[in-house]
Amino acid sequence: MKYIQWINNLLAKIETTFLILCLSTMILLSFTQVILRNFFSTSLFWGDTFLRHLVLWVAFLGASLATKENRHINIDVLSRVLSPGIKRIADIFTNFFAAVVSFFLMKAAITFIGFEKESGSILFAGIPVWIFQIIIAIGFGLMMFRFFLHALEKLLTIRKVKLEEEPS
Amino acid sequence: KYKIKFASLAPEGSTWMNVMKELDQEIRKQTNGDVGFRLYPGGVAGDEKDVLRKIRMGQLHSAGFTGVGLGEILPEVRIFDSPFLFRNYNEVDFIQNKFFDKFARGFEKEGYILLGWADVGFVYVYSNNPVNKLADMKNVKMWMWEGDLVAESTFKALGISPIPLSVIDVMTALQTGMVDGVYTSPLAAIALQWFTKTKYMMEFSLADAAGAVLISKKMFKKLPEDYQKILLETSKSYLEKLMLLSREENQKSIKALKDQGIQIVASPPADQMKQFYEAGKKARRMMVPRLYPLSLVEEVEQALDKFRAANER
Amino acid sequence: MTTILIGLTLILFALLGAPLFSIIAAIALLSFHALDINIAAVIIEMYRLASAPTLLAIPLFTFAGYVLAESQSPKRLVNLAKALFGWMPGGLAIVALVTCAFFTAFTGASGVTIVALGGLLYPVLLKERYSEKFSLGLITSSGSLGLLFPPSLPIILYGLVAKISIDQLFLAGIIPGFLLILLLSFYSVRMGIIEKVPRTSFHFKTLFISIKSAIWELPLPFLIVGGIYGGFFTATEAAAVTAFYVLIIEVFVHRDLNFFKDVPRIMKESMLLVGGILVILGTAMGLTNYLIDEQIPMKILEFMSTFISSKIVFLILLNILLLIVGCMMDMFSAIIVVVPLISPIAREFGVDPVHLGIIFLANLEIGYFTPPVGLNLFISSFRFNKSIIKLYTSALPFLIIYLIALLVITYVPDLSLWLVRLFGK
Ligand code: NA
Ligand code: NA
């Protein structure tokens, strides 16, 4: 478990770095486009396409990190009235469910990227479009890993709680 | 029994969709109801690239594409979209018929069957300053369909630097003066309401926008052979009819634009026109070899020259 | 039977707190699987996140909003608002309303307003001793206020899809838009009095001091508005300019934030929210793909049109249908898919197409914060770290006011059409 957490944190660090890089590029590049067009009446022709794909990267990196911090948007109505014990069990189920859904989304994304790779579409400057799309599969893969981890953690805490309760 | 899911950007109730509905009826009749279309009009299935993805995945089977979508499959087709190539619809028909088999083979190699050409029609420039010679172009803050290599080369050859925007942003950009020149077919100029923000239309057309209806080879091969034949023949004749109707409609749209107060700028004098034609030639060569080989450009241009010479005689 | 069972399980998971995106995705995946279509179809739509030009505004405005919220700007702006409107009951709330309306007219993409401006305005409202419930409700419901004002992108898109004049729609939206603001302002004044928000008297000297301290923040709205109306940049690029400007003033001018210590943290924090919103949007688009493929909106409308006999009934049903649509679909898909279906029916009942457009957009506006699934409720819940139940109760009084306005807009066509006739043609 310790090792898995270590991997989880290392991944998060890499993701955060990428995320900050993407967002900084986004701000600078789109600002540059405005300046270029208004003062030099030109613009980078690949700029806008690239920017929009950065949105995709930011979205999936952000979502993956949101998974790590348990910060996904949810409805969460029942769990507020449940007892802590039942809530833990519910958490195991919902996290496991989300992991399974993420797995299928990742699988779908891999199929999608396969089709795109086959079609040989080029985004700009000879870069194939699938290179930009790969983040969808990576993102869902990371989310799957983390949801599963959450479920596992909850499972282990339940055992711990039981062990602590038994002697008394 | 065989449901062909067909998508188009053309809205419900347009000539385009009406002809597709007639085609659907006719094919159902000829195949005793075994083959029919299910229509997804008005871009509800997404833009042309989305539709292509859905066809690859088997979710959709057939679609009407403009040059943008066709070029994704077979970049060579975009030669038809290149600037100042055709001077009238006779030339368009001549070349498109001449090259039908060649491109049909090209599409088949990529997994699509060409059911017929269905070009959007001649595209004109609409602007707030009149343009009737090459130098006038420099006074126009021209919009460009973002990411379109053909448009980019065209304007580069004309010596202007356009402002790339997505179609959806054009209206706001016209309103605020970010751009004051756009290009599209007369029908689309009305549908997109761009004419409300411009004063002039160039009578001299920028290009003829290509279009075609394709069906995925996977779906096509599922049909029994006699049905394949019915589908091919019926589609081709209905699409020819559609092409005539849409040309008529574009002609009517020009009149409607005039009625709305758009001033038509007469074609430039012969010497100026020659400059435009030269720019067109230059633009076509700028896209070699990214879209097509030089040999295709020369083949098309020579065929056109021959056709023109024969018609002048 | 199995379908019902699966449905109930999913609802249970949702209520137990499974991420919203996983629920929507599960429905989409199962639906496509049932149709024997490759589940990769869900991803096709998700990838459209990278082709919609307006989406770029979401991360940029969100980041700018977080930067402002974490700096001392809220304090400076509160002082300014207090100096200007502190004498008036509900003054600050009205300022918040108008600012949100204004901002939404430009961004067009819902949710952005809450994240970018709400993050700034919410603490300000609390500091001014408005109640948490009122402040949350105000921010959440104002997240879509302003859709009816030019140059709102949904209006433009509506005009294109319905083939009616965009200029006329802009004119038609103005009075209904002001009606909404007016009603909400009355409510704010009332709440300002009820909640005994302390008032201050007006002094030119305090005003002058507060203007001076907020001198760098003040040009921002003018920069954005002037930039867009002057044709220097698009609404999306305005987001970039805003993010850049805000970063410079907070880090290098005011030095409220440290470039190396605070900025990366804020970047990450803000993008967690963006990621959360965009996966939901992406999966919702995947589900929309299924609905369209199965022509479900078409079937519902066909069903409806066989049962309607009068204009009044049609309008009521239309409002209900559109509220549901507004909750479930993103605005742009809703316009592209639903407008071509309802406009011919509406014409048959003699509803003016321009008026229909305003009804349509007003409905979607409300749908955004209608419990249980209006998207803005979730965004607020995330942004302010409050339970969704709390948001339901906070949004309720505002929902009632919006619905009253909607009824007026729907049944008094002149409200929309008067200006069109005055300036039209
Ligand atoms: Na909005
Ligand atoms: Na919505």
Side-chain angles (χ1 to χ4, degrees):
Chain A
M1 200 63 195
K2 235 186 202 162
Y3 288 110
I4 302 180
Q5 278 305 351
W6 183 79
I7 292 173
N8 189 11
N9 289 332
L10 179 71
L11 283 173
K13 264 189 201 132
I14 299 171
E15 287 169 70
T16 310
T17 313
F18 256 96
L19 182 63
I20 290 170
L21 213 67
C22 286
L23 182 62
S24 310
T25 313
M26 206 187 250
I27 297 169
L28 284 178
L29 182 61
S30 52
F31 187 71
T32 310
Q33 290 281 63
V34 178
I35 300 292
L36 280 180
R37 198 182 54 234
N38 281 295
F39 296 102
F40 303 94
S41 66
T42 174
S43 62
L44 305 166
F45 80 96
W46 46 267
D48 289 2
T49 317
F50 181 50
L51 276 170
R52 273 186 260 133
H53 282 79
L54 283 177
V55 175
L56 200 68
W57 279 68
V58 161
F60 279 94
L61 291 171
S64 159
L65 288 168
T67 314
K68 177 166 187 281
E69 305 195 0
N70 244 329
R71 296 266 303 271
H72 270 288
I73 298 173
N74 57 25
I75 304 186
D76 195 18
V77 176
L78 277 184
S79 67
R80 272 157 218 281
V81 295
L82 299 174
S83 73
I86 298 180
K87 167 134 176 54
R88 254 195 296 273
I89 296 171
D91 281 348
I92 295 171
F93 274 103
T94 51
N95 275 304
F96 187 70
F97 166 77
V100 172
V101 173
S102 301
F103 167 75
F104 281 106
L105 286 169
M106 178 184 73
K107 206 176 143 229
I110 290 171
T111 316
F112 170 78
I113 293 163
F115 274 111
E116 291 288 301
K117 209 173 158 185
E118 208 178 307
S119 82
S121 283
I122 300 291
L123 198 59
F124 55 78
I127 307 172
V129 66
W130 66 266
I131 298 225
F132 289 92
Q133 296 166 333
I134 206 154
I135 190 65
I136 307 178
I138 295 175
F140 283 126
L142 287 166
M143 279 187 245
M144 173 188 73
F145 166 65
R146 291 194 167 127
F147 281 125
F148 190 71
L149 210 60
H150 284 310
L152 205 65
E153 269 169 6
K154 291 271 147 91
L155 200 68
L156 291 175
T157 50
I158 283 184
R159 253 185 39 201
K160 224 187 267 166
V161 170
K162 271 194 186 149
L163 285 176
E164 279 162 10
E165 279 167 357
E166 262 165 21
S168 66
Chain B
K1 234 168 27 185
Y2 301 96
K3 192 164 51 187
I4 303 173
K5 291 181 174 173
F6 173 90
S8 164
L9 291 179
E12 179 76 52
S14 62
T15 311
W16 238 99
M17 282 332 274
N18 290 342
V19 173
M20 279 311 296
K21 275 181 194 159
E22 284 172 31
L23 172 62
D24 174 46
Q25 291 302 320
E26 180 63 30
I27 286 181
R28 273 173 208 268
K29 211 171 82 193
Q30 287 190 35
T31 59
N32 304 318
D34 280 351
V35 181
F37 284 97
R38 189 194 242 189
L39 306 175
Y40 296 90
V44 294
D47 66 22
E48 296 195 357
K49 286 184 187 175
D50 301 323
V51 167
L52 260 178
R53 293 196 169 94
K54 289 179 185 174
I55 292 180
R56 275 185 219 129
M57 209 80 69
Q59 191 191 343
L60 293 173
H61 311 117
S62 176
F65 290 109
T66 66
V68 178
L70 296 176
E72 278 284 307
I73 304 168
L74 191 68
E76 279 128 272
V77 186
R78 304 233 52 199
I79 186 136
F80 291 158
D81 287 331
S82 68
F84 313 113
L85 180 67
F86 300 115
R87 296 172 197 180
N88 54 53
Y89 283 127
N90 290 337
E91 296 183 4
V92 176
D93 290 340
F94 169 72
I95 291 292
Q96 288 193 343
N97 282 332
K98 189 175 158 74
F99 285 83
F100 186 92
D101 289 334
K102 180 184 165 73
F103 283 116
R105 275 195 306 274
F107 278 119
E108 195 172 347
K109 232 201 234 147
E110 302 294 330
Y112 298 85
I113 305 293
L114 176 61
L115 289 183
W117 298 117
D119 61 319
V120 177
F122 276 121
V123 165
Y124 302 88
V125 169
Y126 310 81
S127 59
N128 277 327
N129 293 310
V131 179
N132 78 349
K133 51 183 188 296
L134 198 54
D136 291 342
M137 278 279 181
K138 299 207 164 50
N139 304 328
V140 181
K141 280 198 265 177
M142 194 70 197
W143 162 69
M144 177 195 117
W145 191 311
E146 62 168 7
D148 183 6
L149 185 63
V150 177
E152 196 193 316
S153 310
T154 302
F155 292 122
K156 212 183 254 177
L158 290 172
I160 56 175
S161 58
I163 295 165
L165 292 172
S166 69
V167 179
I168 197 169
D169 279 333
V170 172
M171 189 65 188
T172 321
L174 278 170
Q175 222 154 5
T176 61
M178 180 188 262
V179 300
D180 61 9
V182 293
Y183 57 93
T184 188
S185 73
L187 189 60
I190 291 176
L192 295 167
Q193 302 186 26
W194 293 352
F195 77 94
T196 59
K197 304 284 174 237
T198 49
K199 294 197 193 104
Y200 299 95
M201 173 186 144
M202 263 178 93
E203 192 186 23
F204 183 57
S205 85
L206 182 68
D208 179 69
V213 173
L214 303 177
I215 180 171
S216 76
K217 202 169 151 187
K218 235 186 329 186
M219 182 69 201
F220 188 75
K221 290 281 180 241
K222 274 189 203 157
L223 304 177
E225 263 179 40
D226 49 333
Y227 287 174
Q228 288 181 3
K229 218 175 134 209
I230 291 174
L231 180 65
L232 278 179
E233 280 168 4
T234 325
S235 302
K236 208 172 171 196
S237 75
Y238 270 78
L239 290 174
E240 269 162 23
K241 177 179 150 193
L242 170 62
M243 198 124 91
L244 292 179
L245 282 175
S246 75
R247 282 171 189 174
E248 225 170 79
E249 214 170 10
N250 267 321
Q251 226 39 55
K252 271 188 211 148
S253 301
I254 294 182
K255 202 175 159 291
L257 285 172
K258 270 189 211 159
D259 294 343
Q260 297 279 353
I262 297 283
Q263 292 187 43
I264 311 289
V265 183
S267 290
D271 60 318
Q272 281 298 323
M273 226 182 294
K274 217 175 147 200
Q275 285 192 25
F276 279 112
Y277 291 140
E278 285 307 312
K281 273 193 168 168
K282 200 170 132 198
R284 269 189 289 288
R285 277 154 187 81
M286 283 160 79
M287 293 177 271
V288 173
R290 274 192 286 180
L291 295 185
Y292 36 65
L294 187 63
S295 58
L296 181 71
V297 178
E298 283 167 350
E299 197 183 343
V300 170
E301 284 178 352
Q302 277 160 17
L304 266 173
D305 284 341
K306 241 186 241 163
F307 180 73
R308 277 174 200 143
N311 278 14
E312 268 165 29
R313 232 177 282 140
Chain C
M1 188 59 210
T2 30
T3 317
I4 297 170
L5 215 62
I6 291 172
L8 287 175
T9 317
L10 286 178
I11 291 172
L12 182 69
F13 273 135
L15 296 180
L16 283 174
L20 192 60
F21 92 87
S22 66
I23 303 288
I24 304 175
I27 301 172
L29 291 169
L30 288 169
S31 308
F32 275 115
H33 181 71
L35 281 185
D36 214 13
I37 292 175
N38 195 319
I39 53 169
V42 178
I43 309 291
I44 297 182
E45 294 298 306
M46 214 176 275
Y47 175 61
R48 278 168 89 176
L49 288 179
S51 62
T54 48
L55 282 183
L56 181 59
I58 293 185
L60 292 173
F61 271 130
T62 306
F63 172 66
Y66 268 79
V67 169
L68 282 177
E70 296 239 348
S71 69
Q72 297 295 317
S73 283
K75 216 159 131 199
R76 291 188 281 269
L77 292 171
V78 179
N79 287 337
L80 181 60
K82 229 172 168 174
L84 268 174
F85 302 100
W87 54 272
M88 188 179 147
L92 182 67
I94 294 173
V95 174
L97 276 175
V98 174
T99 322
C100 285
F102 193 65
F103 190 76
T104 313
F106 286 108
T107 56
S110 191
V112 180
T113 309
I114 294 176
V115 176
L117 277 184
L120 183 68
L121 291 167
Y122 178 67
V124 174
L125 284 165
L126 289 187
K127 244 179 243 167
E128 279 282 81
R129 301 215 209 125
Y130 286 90
S131 71
E132 185 188 85
K133 185 178 167 221
F134 173 77
S135 309
L136 273 179
L138 181 83
I139 298 291
T140 309
S141 61
S142 306
S144 54
L145 187 64
L147 274 185
L148 296 177
F149 294 118
S152 144
L153 201 56
I155 291 193
I156 294 180
L157 193 63
Y158 187 96
L160 293 181
V161 174
K163 281 176 263 168
I164 51 179
S165 157
I166 293 162
D167 291 337
Q168 285 190 8
L169 273 174
F170 278 153
L171 281 174
I174 291 173
I175 297 179
F178 273 116
L179 173 74
L180 268 170
I181 293 186
L182 198 69
L183 288 180
L184 290 169
S185 298
F186 280 139
Y187 181 67
S188 302
V189 171
R190 218 182 90 99
M191 290 310 282
I193 294 168
I194 290 175
E195 297 189 336
K196 300 208 177 60
V197 174
R199 278 187 256 167
T200 51
S201 47
F202 185 85
H203 292 294
F204 271 108
K205 210 180 138 205
T206 10
L207 179 63
F208 182 74
I209 293 170
S210 57
I211 287 182
K212 220 178 121 188
S213 81
I215 195 78
W216 287 100
E217 281 88 351
L218 276 179
L220 197 54
F222 300 99
L223 190 74
I224 298 177
V225 178
I228 297 175
Y229 275 112
F232 298 107
F233 38 76
T234 61
T236 315
E237 290 170 334
V241 175
T242 307
F244 195 79
Y245 181 82
V246 162
L247 195 61
I248 297 291
I249 62 165
E250 300 305 348
V251 175
F252 298 107
V253 180
H254 287 310
R255 293 171 190 274
D256 286 348
L257 301 171
N258 182 295
F259 188 76
F260 296 102
K261 256 190 6 225
D262 298 316
V263 175
R265 178 178 52 82
I266 296 173
M267 280 187 165
K268 182 189 162 194
E269 195 58 30
S270 57
M271 290 310 111
L272 285 195
L273 172 59
V274 170
I277 296 173
L278 289 183
V279 273
I280 292 181
L281 199 63
T283 44
M285 280 150 85
L287 184 60
T288 307
N289 183 8
Y290 166 75
L291 297 178
I292 293 167
D293 195 88
E294 278 300 279
Q295 302 188 312
I296 287 171
M298 296 82 172
K299 282 173 189 159
I300 293 174
L301 275 162
E302 237 166 67
F303 180 78
M304 253 179 68
S305 61
T306 50
F307 285 92
I308 309 167
S309 50
S310 78
K311 186 173 167 178
I312 304 276
V313 179
F314 168 75
L315 287 175
I316 292 172
L317 280 177
L318 181 70
N319 278 329
I320 295 170
L321 178 87
L322 288 177
L323 280 180
I324 298 171
V325 167
C327 279
M328 317 240 310
M329 286 167 100
D330 76 287
M331 183 158 293
F332 296 107
S333 321
I335 291 173
I336 291 174
V337 175
V338 181
V339 172
L341 301 173
I342 59 159
S343 45
I345 308 178
R347 203 169 301 140
E348 253 168 60
F349 283 106
V351 181
D352 184 280
V354 174
H355 183 213
L356 179 72
I358 302 303
I359 298 175
F360 191 97
L361 294 167
N363 263 298
L364 292 191
E365 194 172 327
I366 301 172
Y368 269 119
F369 65 97
T370 304
V373 286
L375 185 64
N376 281 359
L377 294 166
F378 294 107
I379 294 176
S380 271
S381 145
F382 188 106
R383 180 67 177 90
F384 306 116
N385 220 350
K386 298 282 180 254
S387 82
I388 192 74
I389 300 295
K390 180 158 241 162
L391 277 154
Y392 290 169
T393 50
S394 310
L396 199 63
F398 290 90
L399 186 66
I400 293 168
I401 297 172
Y402 269 84
L403 286 175
I404 293 169
L406 179 66
L407 283 179
V408 178
I409 291 169
T410 308
Y411 295 103
V412 187
D414 282 340
L415 210 58
S416 309
L417 300 176
W418 184 68
L419 277 182
V420 180
R421 279 195 292 264
L422 197 64
F423 293 101
K425 310 284 142 68

